[in-house]
Structure formats: structure tokens, C-alpha cells
Amino acid sequence: MAYKTVNPYTNEVVKEYSDATPEQIENALSDAHNLYNQWKLEAPESRSKQLHEIADLMRQNSDELAKVMVTDMGKLYREAQGEVELCAIIADYFADHSADLLKPTKLETIATGVAQVKKHPLGPLLMVEPWNFPYYQIMRVFAPNFMVGNPMILKHAAITPGSALAFEKIVKESSAPDASLVNLFLNYDQVSDVIADPRIQGVALTGSERGGKSVAKAAGENLKKNTMELGGTDVFIVLDDADIETTAEIAWRARLYNAGQVCTSSKRFIVAANLYDQFVAKLKENFASVKPGDPMDNSTTLAPMSSKKAKEKIQSQVDEAIAKGANLAYGNEPIDSPGQFFQPTILTDIKPDNPAFSEEMFGPVAQVYKVDSDQEAIDLANTSDLGLGGIVFSGDQKRGEAVATKIETGMVFVNNFMVSLPELPFGGVKNSGYGREMSDLGLNAFVNEQLIVTTDKPNMDNLAGGLVATDPE
Ligand code: NAP
């Protein structure tokens, strides 16, 4: 059975689940379709109270919800509680702002009559989500689309079935209709079948390039609108006038949060030559200070990786990087624990022909590069095929911003760590995907922006005019 919770701290197989049956799939599709037909007649504000209720239920059950994630994928309990709170913040935000953001917009036009764009739901969606933020990834799609009126079917990662069920249970416990979100343990063929079903109108995937390509292909073949939130090799650029103390304090956290398994983790540290030695020394010191241990223990600062497979993958990437000439500046020692821990590791002197130069390393491994100018930092940042996020540190905010705008990614923060909040759009360019989640952009991702032009009588004078029927005034 593919869907299985294996606690990565203890290696205990906690529970296994069978794939969805054809009957479960059909019920989910038909319930979603029926709910869409009901929701399309209702205004978004009619769902606001229910979404607030979901936020409240998440807060009330924060402890239990956090523990499910800790067991599923090893996240630190403290960070898991933060994730539950963030989900509640996202739900509250969309509950409060969606009705306004979805109001019709009037257009200035030379056409006869009044032109406006009205926003309608598209229909049921499939969301395919990864394990690294088991609830937050769901909420980013769920909250806006619940308000729009698109019922959702969830296909979660095979290693986080407990989290999928826990999220679904919260929705069921609220007064929202059960079909608002239905979890199905779908195998890959079933994912393709669901995408092909005429009742499904859109697909949102967060995951790897590999997963994204497969699901986008199925969506394309069936002409289904889709958004792709894929991987990143985000830079953390330190310009020569940056405050090294603040920068260093943020750098190690930006890499090690969630055991380094974040799409927007800083993965490539690009440091001005005058600060390079100091930066590497401080990064080593901070990496050496983390304490691996039980993720439920609040004194633990390094979580295990999400699975044995994830640890083996990062180990093989580090081994290959070193074999191909990278310098091991720190780490890569075994950690004495049966848990899936990987020691924070620093690699330097990575040349463009090294596979590590272009791969995403999804774990606690920092690559550090030395540069002699802002332009060299920008050029190095833009060598990546991925374009998700990035951070720039400079003593001069304007200079930081000038560098930030030249980085080919969807998001850049200057003099701060990256944060994800409902009012800020989230997403990337290049092979990091397309479309945006969160903010008004995410809210409008799966909306029928319908043009309505009304007049009390047509402009008969221009009847022969073909496409352009203008008002003589
Ligand atoms: P993944 O293997 O692509 O899995 C993500 C989801 O896609 C899972 O539910 C997975 O199911 C499913 N999937 C994969 N291949 C599929 C296929 N051929 N057909 C149908 N479903 C398929 O990604 P991951 O390695 O678990 O997640 C880490 C990646 O996600 C990293 O690259 C990370 O940067 C990226 N990520 C991006 C964002 C963002 O917002 N841009 C956020 C978080 C993570 P199974 O689990 O059953 O394989």
C-alpha cells in the first residue's frame, strides 16, 4: 500500500491505507459537482462564517493537529504548531476579504452599454499536495477556493495520510458541506483519471518538477486549467555592505527550518568576497550548535528528515557533489540516532559542471559561493533553471532592491527572511512553475472571469460594423 505513515524519528510503521476505490472516487466527484451547482447560486460571503469556523477549529485542535504532522513527517512540534496557526490566519484572511476581492469590476470601454467582469466559480478542483507543510499546502488552495465556490478533492503525499485525514476531519466538523474538501488516497493512474473527468475543472499541484510535469501533462491533455508550485534553488545574497551579524543570524535559520525541506529555503548562499570567510565561519558555528532529537521535545532544534528515502537522496547528492570536486566545509557526519537525521552540511567551491550546481537539495545542506560584484551575484543567481524566491542583504535598502528586481524569481525579500502570508502572492517562474497561490492572484486562479455587457438597446447604426460596435457618442 502506497499511503503509509512511518514516523521518521522512531521508524515505526504507524498506519497503512488502501488506495481509493472506484466507488469512493465516483462519490467524491458527484458530491463535488452537486455542491458546485449549489455554490454557484450563492454569494461568497455566505461561506465566510464557515471558513472562520474552520480557522477556530484548527486553533482549538492545534495540539492534536500538530502531533499528527510530527508523526507523519517528523516536523518539530513547535514548528508544527506554528503551521497550524498560519493555516488559521490564512482561513481568516480569505473569509474576511474574498467577498470584496471577488466583486465585479466595471470596465472603461467604447462598446455600447455597460461592461463588467463578474467572477464565478469554475467547478470542482483536484489538489495534489506535498508532505513538507502537510496542512499549510492544503490551506493555500482550500481557503481561497472555498470562498470562490470551487469544491475540492485532495490527493496528498503518500507519506502524510494522517495529516490529510486530520485536515478533512476539521472541515467535516465545521458546518461547511462535507464535499467542500474530500480526501482520496489516489494512485497516479487514478489522479490522471480524476483529471480527465469532465466534472473536474482545474488542478493545483505543489511538488517537484517531476511530479509537476506528469500532472501538468494530464491537465494539458484534458485542457484543464492548472497551477504549478514547484521546487526552488533560492539564493541568499550577501552584498559587500551587509550587516554580517544580522545576516548570519538569519542565514542558518533560513536553511535549517523544517530540516531544510522548504521550497523557499535558502539553498545557495552567494556572498561578497570581503564577507565570505566571516560568513562561512559563522554559518559553521550556527550549524554546529543545532541539537538533533525528539521532535516533540522543545529543546530539539534539528528535526529528522521526512523519510528514509529523503535522507538517502540528500546523502547521495552530497556524496556526488564532493566526488565531483565540491569542498566539504562542514558536516556530512552520521548522527547517532535511528531517526532519519542528516547533519547540517556546508559545501563550497561548487563549479558549474558539478550536478550540485543546478540541483535542488531538499535538506539541511548549504551551498556557499564567493562573488566579486553585485552583477556577478545576479548572474550566478540567474543560472538556475528554477525561479521561486530569494533573499538579498545589503546595508542600503535601495541597492538591495535594485539587485532583487534583477533576480529571475517570483518572490524576493530584501534584508529579511522570507515569510508566507495570505496577502502576499506565492509562486515562481521558470521550472518553479506558474500561477500564484494566496493573495488576490491566488483567489482568482480558478475563477471564471465572465464578461457581461448590458445595454437597453443595441446600436443599430453600427450593425454592419462587425466586431466593433461602438456608441456614436
Ligand atoms: P512530489 O514527489 O512531486 O510530490 C508532490 C505531490 O505530487 C505528492 O502528492 C505526490 O504523490 C504527487 N505526485 C508526484 N508524481 C505524481 C504523478 N506522476 N502523478 C500524480 N501525482 C504525483 O514532490 P515531493 O518531492 O514530495 O515534494 C518536494 C518538492 O515540492 C520540492 O521540489 C519542493 O521544492 C516542492 N515544493 C514546492 C512548493 C511551492 O510552493 N513552490 C512548496 C512546497 C514544496 P506521492 O506522494 O504519492 O508520490
Side-chain angles (χ1 to χ4, degrees), residues 60-95:
Q60 284 157 25
N61 293 282
S62 167
D63 173 56
E64 192 190 321
L65 287 167
K67 283 177 181 157
V68 174
M69 285 194 284
V70 174
T71 310
D72 262 356
M73 48 71 72
K75 189 181 287 278
L76 297 181
Y77 175 69
R78 196 176 54 248
E79 292 181 1
Q81 281 193 311
E83 181 173 339
V84 174
E85 175 56 23
L86 177 58
C87 287
I89 290 171
I90 296 171
D92 281 339
Y93 176 86
F94 283 102

Side-chain angles (χ1 to χ4, degrees), residues 2-3 128-133 136-137 140 155-159 186-189 191-192 195 205-212 214-215 228-232 261-264 267 309 313 360 362 388 411 426-428 432 437:
Y3 287 85
V128 181
E129 300 301 335
W131 45 264
N132 63 340
F133 291 95
Y136 156 80
Q137 302 291 1
R140 285 197 331 198
K155 181 260 177 275
H156 214 331
I159 68 167
L186 300 173
N187 61 40
Y188 290 178
D189 289 340
V191 166
S192 299
I195 292 171
L205 176 136
T206 297
S208 63
E209 278 178 86
R210 179 192 56 82
S214 303
V215 170
M228 292 287 141
E229 294 282 352
L230 309 178
Q261 304 164 115
V262 186
C263 52
T264 52
K267 292 166 190 147
K309 193 171 146 210
K313 177 156 185 210
E360 180 185 30
F362 213 56
L388 192 56
M411 308 167 273
F426 195 105
S432 290
E437 290 183 350

Side-chain angles (χ1 to χ4, degrees), residues 3 17-25 183-187 190:
Y3 287 85
Y17 303 82
S18 307
D19 287 353
T21 62
E23 192 189 4
Q24 285 171 327
I25 297 174
N183 172 63
L184 290 175
F185 292 131
L186 300 173
N187 61 40
Q190 291 172 324

Side-chain angles (χ1 to χ4, degrees), residues 73-390:
M73 48 71 72
K75 189 181 287 278
L76 297 181
Y77 175 69
R78 196 176 54 248
E79 292 181 1
Q81 281 193 311
E83 181 173 339
V84 174
E85 175 56 23
L86 177 58
C87 287
I89 290 171
I90 296 171
D92 281 339
Y93 176 86
F94 283 102
D96 286 336
H97 297 281
S98 298
D100 249 8
L101 294 169
L102 291 168
K103 282 215 167 89
T105 44
K106 283 224 169 107
L107 302 176
E108 288 291 326
T109 173
I110 58 166
T112 305
V114 176
Q116 53 181 322
V117 172
K118 293 200 169 193
K119 297 182 177 178
H120 303 293
L122 267 193
L125 308 177
L126 173 68
M127 67 164 106
V128 181
E129 300 301 335
W131 45 264
N132 63 340
F133 291 95
Y135 302 139
Y136 156 80
Q137 302 291 1
I138 303 174
M139 189 56 97
R140 285 197 331 198
V141 179
F142 175 76
N145 284 294
F146 178 82
M147 291 304 293
V148 165
N150 295 319
M152 285 152 275
I153 291 176
L154 165 67
K155 181 260 177 275
H156 214 331
I159 68 167
T160 48
S163 306
L165 291 173
F167 196 106
E168 186 191 44
K169 184 164 169 254
I170 290 288
V171 176
K172 280 205 161 79
E173 280 173 11
S174 76
S175 60
D178 285 359
S180 308
L181 179 101
V182 173
N183 172 63
L184 290 175
F185 292 131
L186 300 173
N187 61 40
Y188 290 178
D189 289 340
Q190 291 172 324
V191 166
S192 299
D193 292 346
V194 169
I195 292 171
D197 190 282
R199 289 165 289 192
I200 289 290
Q201 291 301 316
V203 186
L205 176 136
T206 297
S208 63
E209 278 178 86
R210 179 192 56 82
K213 279 181 186 162
S214 303
V215 170
K217 183 167 177 239
E221 277 169 357
N222 291 284
L223 298 177
K224 301 291 167 76
K225 195 169 185 190
N226 62 91
T227 55
M228 292 287 141
E229 294 282 352
L230 309 178
T233 48
D234 287 8
V235 291
F236 185 113
I237 295 180
V238 185
L239 300 182
D240 59 20
D241 61 351
D243 168 10
I244 189 72
E245 295 301 331
T246 314
T247 307
E249 255 324 292
I250 292 177
W252 69 278
R253 292 186 167 89
R255 189 63 196 103
L256 299 187
Y257 176 66
N258 209 33
Q261 304 164 115
V262 186
C263 52
T264 52
S265 292
S266 297
K267 292 166 190 147
R268 296 181 295 151
F269 295 85
I270 299 178
V271 185
N274 62 319
L275 297 175
Y276 179 87
D277 290 342
Q278 252 181 301
F279 182 85
V280 173
K282 283 183 186 295
L283 196 62
K284 274 188 204 175
E285 204 181 293
N286 286 320
F287 273 21
S289 73
V290 298
K291 182 171 164 268
D294 183 347
M296 284 303 299
D297 181 342
N298 273 339
S299 69
T300 300
T301 51
L302 181 73
M305 294 195 64
S306 62
S307 66
K308 185 164 180 277
K309 193 171 146 210
K311 180 183 164 181
E312 285 169 357
K313 177 156 185 210
I314 196 92
Q315 183 67 67
S316 76
Q317 287 178 304
V318 168
D319 290 347
E320 190 180 19
I322 295 168
K324 298 269 165 67
N327 170 52
L328 175 67
Y330 178 78
N332 197 28
E333 297 281 344
I335 288 182
D336 185 19
S337 162
Q340 303 303 325
F341 291 98
F342 193 83
Q343 190 190 22
T345 292
I346 303 172
L347 299 174
T348 62
D349 302 293
I350 300 167
K351 302 285 179 272
D353 60 352
N354 193 319
F357 187 81
S358 43
E359 278 172 1
E360 180 185 30
M361 289 189 158
F362 213 56
V365 179
Q367 304 184 355
V368 192
Y369 298 85
K370 190 196 289 187
V371 289
D372 289 314
S373 68
D374 293 9
Q375 191 55 49
E376 202 186 325
I378 295 163
D379 292 343
L380 182 53
N382 291 341
T383 52
S384 178
D385 289 337
L386 300 172
L388 192 56

